[in-house]
Amino acid sequence: NNSNHLNQISIESKGIQKAATSLLAILPLTGNSENTPPNKIWTQSIRDGLKLMEWAIHDFFPMPRADGSSKKDEDTRVKEEAKSHPDLWNRHQKWVSIAKEAT
């Protein structure tokens, strides 16, 4: 009887996770209070995600770029990008600190 109860809780929590995932997935498609069209929100979300991924790769697996720039050049480029995107950079730093603590 107790195992049935635990199984039911597990099924319910999976349903909650699925509903939360679905809700988060559609947020960029809903627009915002500033009347920004959904396609611009979606495009910016993709750009931000790619930028975060690029910075994470640079932090954990620094690689030379195809243009032959040095690591120092790449570090400088990332720092300049970070100045242009301070909110995004703060998110990046939080995720990197979480990942480093977990390893």
Side-chain angles (χ1 to χ4, degrees):
N1 190 356
N2 195 18
S3 66
N4 286 342
H5 179 67
L6 291 176
N7 192 24
Q8 183 64 30
I9 291 172
S10 176
I11 291 170
E12 289 174 5
S13 68
K14 286 181 184 178
I16 291 169
Q17 289 173 355
K18 186 176 179 181
T21 302
S22 297
L23 178 62
L24 289 172
I26 65 165
L27 285 178
L29 303 175
T30 61
N32 65 13
S33 62
E34 298 161 357
N35 295 324
T36 304
N39 62 327
K40 286 191 178 190
I41 295 172
W42 182 254
T43 301
Q44 190 61 48
S45 295
I46 298 296
R47 283 184 186 146
D48 289 352
L50 290 172
K51 185 63 58 190
L52 288 168
M53 191 181 318
E54 179 186 355
W55 289 343
I57 290 169
H58 176 74
D59 278 359
F60 290 104
F61 311 104
M63 296 179 273
R65 292 180 59 95
D67 65 4
S69 60
S70 69
K71 179 168 177 4
K72 184 178 178 182
D73 293 338
E74 189 63 12
D75 289 344
T76 302
R77 186 188 65 77
V78 169
K79 287 178 185 173
E80 288 300 315
E81 285 182 345
K83 288 178 188 175
S84 301
H85 303 87
D87 293 337
L88 201 58
W89 183 252
N90 288 337
R91 277 197 280 166
H92 164 73
Q93 289 181 314
K94 286 178 187 175
W95 281 110
V96 168
S97 69
I98 290 169
K100 287 182 178 180
E101 287 176 12
T103 57

